[in-house]
Amino acid sequence: MFIRNRKKALTTFALAATLVASANFPTLAEGAGTTVNWTREQASKIQQTADNTAPYFNGGEIEKMTPDYHVWDTWPLRNRDGSIAVINGYKIIFSLTAPSNILPGKRHDIAEIRYFYSKNGQDWELGGTVFPEGEALGSRQWAGSAMVDNGKVNFFYTATGRKGEEHLSYEQRLVKASADIEVSKKDGITFSNWSDHKVILEPEGKYYQTMEEGMQGDIAYAFRDPWFFEDPKTGEEYILFEGNSNGTPAERMCEPEHIGSEEFRANHEVPEVSKLHNGSIGIAKATNDDLTEFEIMPPLVEANCVNQELERPHIVTKGNKYYLFTDTHLNKFAPGVSGPDGLFGFVSDTLVGGYEPLNGDGLVISNPKENPYQAYSWMVMPNGTVVSFLNFFDLEGKTINDIGHQPHEWQFEHFGGTLAPSLKISINQDKTKIVKELEPGVFK
Ligand code: FRU
């Protein structure tokens, strides 16, 4: 891993702090110069092995959690320390959902967050929509996280687009709302006494690209998936998120530190369009108890010239170490490097800085070659259980780009839209290994 030019970063940091503070954006915190790039050299080592390849899932045999909705990205209600919360004997999960008669590829355009609850952490009862009608920001809501403390739930989510917009936009803002949680025999689990929904983070155009910058020739844009984290070493609280490295494509280029060692660079070609791949894992530090104010910090990891989307970043701590996980797709790798749809991870002794790819190449879980899109959106629980959703399966050799051209019935038949079999991984120092397949939707 390469640490960026510290002096340059500090100057940028100071300048950015001035600009940002005067523009009424969140102020920048310490840590400039600590971002590490997942290099092309490291990514070129990606290999599917017995330790990182999930078993084949027979998608056709997995029963949907609810016949009425497609269910995809899912997260549990957690305690402040990251452990899974149990409220009066119930575990609660939150999922992106859309009516199951919507074509699977269209679901992102109308995503809504619903909740489910369960006594055994495996059989999930649908509770309903989380937010009171019309209160959530955005024309749709994308992934987030939820933390409960003393009966008050803090919801973090992505507000995508604007409510009532005529044309679907891809603006993404990170939002927080809170509510009391109640459990009753009559109504099951309900949320009441809602706060306002408050935008807590938007890209500032220094470390994180704004949509306007991204629209000047980039492939896609991301500023989403807020994930709450309390650092057990310091008690400080953070939001991690998926972003893109700052700048327009005209301002960016592939630098040696994005590519790798001198030896590797001597024999490695970097196609020009690789610079359009600028996925990043962002972080911001909470500055008030309400978790409504944050200082934006330089990214933990960037994948400049390597990968376009580092989705749903989250951390598991073990021993003295921070394990940083993220999801990406095979079609998000830059030309000249390749990897499967999978869960990738990095390890460091400090929350900020020093991240090295787990297992040398970063690959933790991949779909099996014969079913390359069977699951997605993996999330690692503190005990090593990994949850994900059943995505497109048994595609008979078709790629993800072919799906939209198939008859509608075929698209519905080959999409899961429910939680996939969970997996258990072991984590030892800088190595991980899939050790077990569990039942679908297991959060334990
Ligand atoms: C990953 C993802 C998330 C986003 C959601 C939108 O599956 O791309 O990053 O919040 O899907 O549906």
Side-chain angles (χ1 to χ4, degrees), residues 32 50 164 240 266 280-281 288-290 307 329 346 365 397 400 433-434 442:
L240 265 61
S280 91
I281 297 180
N288 69 349
D289 289 345
D290 258 7
N307 189 288
H329 294 286
F346 304 85
I365 292 179
I400 209 81
K433 183 178 156 80
I434 299 174
V442 166

Side-chain angles (χ1 to χ4, degrees), residues 72-73 96 108 111 142-143 158 224-225 242 309 311-312 376-377 389:
W72 64 109
D73 296 10
L96 298 190
H108 308 281
W142 286 359
T158 313
R224 59 178 181 257
D225 302 350
E242 170 187 358
E309 282 187 348
E311 306 209 276
R312 302 196 68 206
Y376 191 63
S377 230
F389 76 93

